[in-house]
Amino acid sequence: MNSENDKMGFIYSFDMSEEIAHFKRIPEHIQSSAECNAVDVIYESFVMPADQDYLMSRLLAQKGLPRGFYWAAAQAIEKYLKAFLLMNGEGVKEFKAHPIKKLFEAASKIDSSLADLNVLPHQSIQVQDNVSYHLKKFAIQDYIDDLERHGSADNRYNAFGVEYNTGHLCAMDSLSFQLRRKIGAIPINESLNKLSPDLILIFEKNNPWFRAEENQLSHVPSEEFPIQYSSSVTKLEILIKNKSNPAYALALRWLSAKMKLPTIHS
């Protein structure tokens, strides 16, 4: 059924009769209420926490904590994609761990336009010419790949280094806005309405996708929004990629007996 949840404002497309026998024999007002209740749960279980993860990712990026940014950003996009799938009647039980690429592929099968989403910086972000080459720009699939790699659960313990550029944050803003629109989500400020006003102000500043004022330019870089880029390599990566070194091999042997070692991708 294609319908709109009057309470939440979401547009959904699922048919409960596919899972519940004789559902269509139930009075229509109960059918409608059941659907709205399911949408409410999807919103509270996926969209609201995704909004909070997204907010956290921005704060971490702006404060120079790229590994934390990736973890929060990956969590947010995972939840937005799961909400999109559920709103379209697709189950998400099969997706184990945090397979952002597989979730994105599944969502793209429902809406092919997702595969061509533009995640370039918002047009109102004015980057100074002398530093514009530092701001990385992404194709959507490349950005999804970066989120899955650097936001991997294996990297909760700083197992491998991350590469970050302020362009990652710009792409996150764009992707989050567009996925919320695909879900038909209510304005994000309603998800964040219990947070500190100062926190909301920081979130909206230099974020034209969600800023209340239209046609307001954001000049970058600025004290509040510097262009950052960083790359790091961990000692564990060095050990794993240079196992021929006896001291490295011995260290790995001992560590593997005491902890689960992650898979390091080349």
Side-chain angles (χ1 to χ4, degrees), residues 22-40:
H22 311 302
F23 180 76
K24 291 184 178 179
R25 297 182 184 178
I26 299 170
E28 288 189 6
H29 71 281
I30 296 179
Q31 292 184 42
S32 179
S33 179
E35 291 167 353
C36 289
N37 288 331
V39 169
D40 288 351

Side-chain angles (χ1 to χ4, degrees), residues 46-200:
F46 294 93
V47 179
M48 282 185 67
D51 289 343
Q52 293 170 10
D53 289 337
Y54 168 42
L55 171 64
M56 182 60 66
S57 75
R58 290 197 101 254
L59 293 174
L60 290 167
Q62 289 174 301
K63 296 301 180 181
L65 297 168
R67 190 176 64 83
F69 160 79
Y70 277 117
W71 177 248
Q75 292 288 309
I77 297 304
E78 176 187 349
K79 293 181 180 77
Y80 284 140
L81 288 169
K82 286 181 175 178
F84 176 83
L85 290 170
L86 287 165
M87 290 292 191
N88 285 277
E90 297 295 324
V92 297
K93 285 184 176 180
E94 67 183 272
F95 297 102
K96 307 301 181 184
H98 307 282
I100 296 176
K101 289 196 285 189
K102 289 183 178 179
L103 286 165
F104 187 76
E105 289 169 5
S108 297
K109 289 179 181 178
I110 296 172
D111 184 343
S112 60
S113 69
L114 285 170
D116 298 313
L117 282 184
N118 182 339
V119 291
L120 297 177
H122 193 280
Q123 60 184 6
S124 72
I125 293 179
Q126 303 294 303
V127 184
Q128 294 178 14
D129 291 339
N130 63 327
V131 295
S132 61
Y133 65 94
H134 286 304
L135 189 65
K136 190 172 181 179
K137 297 181 174 73
F138 296 91
I140 179 61
Q141 194 58 61
D142 293 336
Y143 187 67
I144 292 294
D145 289 347
D146 273 7
L147 279 185
E148 179 155 306
R149 172 175 165 72
H150 297 303
S152 165
D154 279 342
N155 211 23
R156 287 173 293 179
Y157 304 103
N158 198 33
F160 48 88
V162 298
E163 295 181 5
Y164 172 79
N165 182 286
T166 298
H168 285 97
L169 176 56
C170 293
M172 183 64 187
D173 290 336
S174 175
L175 181 56
S176 298
F177 177 84
Q178 293 183 80
L179 285 179
R180 293 185 91 263
R181 186 169 58 182
K182 294 285 187 183
I183 297 165
I186 59 176
I188 197 169
N189 59 358
E190 295 191 30
S191 286
L192 307 177
N193 63 0
K194 294 182 180 180
L195 299 181
S196 162
D198 292 341
L199 206 56
I200 301 300

